[in-house]
Amino acid sequence: MATARSLLLLAVFSTAIAQDVKLIYKSSSKPVRLFTEEELRRFDGSQEGHPIYMAIKGVVFDVTKGKEFYGKDAPYNALVGKDSTRAVAKMSLDPSDLTSDTTGLSEEELESLEGVFEGTYKAKYPIVGYTASRILNEDGSPNKEFKPEEQPRFQVKEEF
């Protein structure tokens, strides 16, 4: 009887854990999309009730739940509506750093960028898309370095 009760409890506990894991790892219900710079600018926190997006390393995050940091007149509002990779790496709000360009960054800045990208943004905010610059070269040709299967929540669709 004790063994049957233990097995029943184990089964119930395992089912509960499995359901919790499913909830934790549930994929985004919004489709992942490709953003041009112009499209991304529309999500700069200036319009109340609209999502706030920020890109780092070409990955577009929905930072709306952090609107006290990223919303209109918030301390980090300069980072949103664009790819702010360089600014994040340098921990800077200087307008000249509000770019995706990583040319000339030190090894320490690149390590900082990776830590913040993985530990803060990917851990905390949903990914809603990628910038065109992550997928395409400046001349519009496909970026051969971009591997969709290695990207979080990226699903290969006909438009890509």
Side-chain angles (χ1 to χ4, degrees):
M1 175 108 169
T3 303
R5 183 180 294 172
S6 296
L7 288 174
L8 179 61
L9 286 173
L10 180 63
V12 169
F13 183 68
S14 297
T15 302
I17 288 176
Q19 288 175 349
D20 285 346
V21 169
K22 283 180 190 173
L23 291 175
I24 291 170
Y25 293 105
K26 184 179 177 188
S27 64
S28 174
S29 59
K30 293 181 181 179
V32 173
R33 61 181 268 208
L34 183 66
F35 288 88
T36 64
E37 286 182 32
E38 182 181 321
E39 288 173 318
L40 192 53
R41 277 193 290 268
R42 296 181 197 153
F43 299 94
D44 65 358
S46 62
Q47 294 183 19
E48 188 65 36
H50 285 108
I52 304 169
Y53 293 168
M54 172 183 176
I56 302 173
K57 294 174 57 176
V59 179
V60 181
F61 296 95
D62 181 340
V63 296
T64 308
K65 72 179 180 181
K67 69 181 174 184
E68 65 275 9
F69 302 108
Y70 301 105
K72 184 177 181 180
D73 300 323
Y76 301 120
N77 177 257
L79 299 171
V80 300
K82 61 185 73 70
D83 190 319
S84 297
T85 301
R86 184 177 199 82
V88 170
K90 295 181 76 162
M91 299 292 174
S92 168
L93 293 175
D94 184 309
S96 65
D97 290 327
L98 298 173
T99 177
S100 62
D101 185 15
T102 58
T103 305
L105 291 178
S106 69
E107 192 62 38
E108 185 177 295
E109 289 168 332
L110 291 170
E111 286 175 18
S112 174
L113 171 63
E114 196 59 33
V116 172
F117 178 74
E118 292 290 333
T120 300
Y121 290 95
K122 278 179 63 178
K124 191 172 183 179
Y125 298 107
I127 295 169
V128 293
Y130 295 88
T131 62
S133 63
R134 183 166 176 104
I135 298 173
L136 304 173
N137 295 317
E138 284 185 29
D139 65 0
S141 64
N143 176 358
K144 304 265 190 228
E145 301 292 315
F146 182 80
K147 301 199 178 350
E149 64 278 6
E150 293 175 2
Q151 307 304 313
R153 298 190 195 119
F154 188 89
Q155 297 173 2
V156 179
K157 296 183 180 179
E158 286 180 24
E159 65 248 271
F160 297 117

